[in-house]
Amino acid sequence: MAEQGERRTASPAPRDSRPPEQASRTEPPAGSAPTDAIGFGKHKAVRRTEAATEVLVEAAAEGEAMLKRQPNIFNAPALRASLDAIRDELALRQKAPVGTSAPQTATAAKCGFGPWKGKAISLMSDEELGAAVDMANQKLLEEPKAQWAPAMEANRDLLLAEITRRGMLAVQNGREPGSDG
């Protein structure tokens, strides 16, 4: 123990002379999402420009569902900014000439229940989509607090997003929404 008035010995390396961290300050920390990533949900670390269109649609539906359930969530501003970036990416892809879209590396969203379980949502007919949404609504009304309810709600939101996407495409192409041809 040091006597009163005595100085303690200095540490072997003063703070100022310690080596800086090995990682560059411009790179994000290890384990964090890239800055052009979706930024939330199960596709958090996927880059928007590299994601399949179906993944972007799925992520947008998931983000909108999160905001709908909890509009004042702590990260709502960042979530809204990410949703805007996803919508911008989708708009760019619609305007791009055929064959120039981002690589389709991710798998399509799948229906998670009923007789359509495992079927890609984008491959379901309009009637199947409607029936799946009706089934989800019925099951969620019967057992709203079930353990599987949040997953079914998220999957239902994906189904609704696909219905909305098809309706928007039909309107853009001058067809009546709901017609398969």
Side-chain angles (χ1 to χ4, degrees), residues 113 130-144 148 152 156:
F113 57 89
V133 168
D134 291 343
M135 176 186 274
N137 287 336
Q138 180 183 5
K139 294 292 184 185
L140 289 167
L141 282 173
E142 291 172 3
E143 298 183 58
W148 45 260
M152 184 172 273
R156 179 194 59 192

Side-chain angles (χ1 to χ4, degrees), residues 40-63:
F40 60 89
K42 66 182 179 180
H43 304 294
K44 182 176 186 171
V46 176
R47 292 182 187 271
R48 287 185 302 271
T49 55
E50 296 172 357
T53 302
E54 291 84 9
V55 170
L56 292 174
V57 170
E58 180 180 342
E62 184 179 1

Side-chain angles (χ1 to χ4, degrees), residues 39-92:
F40 60 89
K42 66 182 179 180
H43 304 294
K44 182 176 186 171
V46 176
R47 292 182 187 271
R48 287 185 302 271
T49 55
E50 296 172 357
T53 302
E54 291 84 9
V55 170
L56 292 174
V57 170
E58 180 180 342
E62 184 179 1
E64 289 167 358
M66 288 169 61
L67 283 173
K68 188 175 181 181
R69 284 191 304 266
Q70 298 175 326
N72 295 327
I73 192 167
F74 73 96
N75 62 345
L79 185 55
R80 286 185 183 96
S82 187
L83 284 171
D84 289 342
I86 289 170
R87 289 185 194 110
D88 290 345
E89 178 66 26
L90 288 169
L92 283 173

Side-chain angles (χ1 to χ4, degrees), residues 110-120 124 127-129 131-132 135:
K110 296 185 179 352
C111 187
F113 57 89
W116 315 278
K117 186 172 185 170
K119 186 172 185 178
M124 294 172 69
E127 293 78 22
E128 289 174 325
L129 286 170
M135 176 186 274

Side-chain angles (χ1 to χ4, degrees), residues 3-42:
E3 295 283 331
Q4 186 175 7
E6 284 185 45
R7 294 186 71 176
R8 293 184 181 176
T9 58
S11 66
R15 288 182 188 246
D16 296 345
S17 66
R18 291 183 187 158
E21 294 179 19
Q22 298 297 325
S24 166
R25 295 189 188 270
T26 59
E27 295 176 8
S32 68
T35 56
D36 65 338
I38 291 172
F40 60 89
K42 66 182 179 180

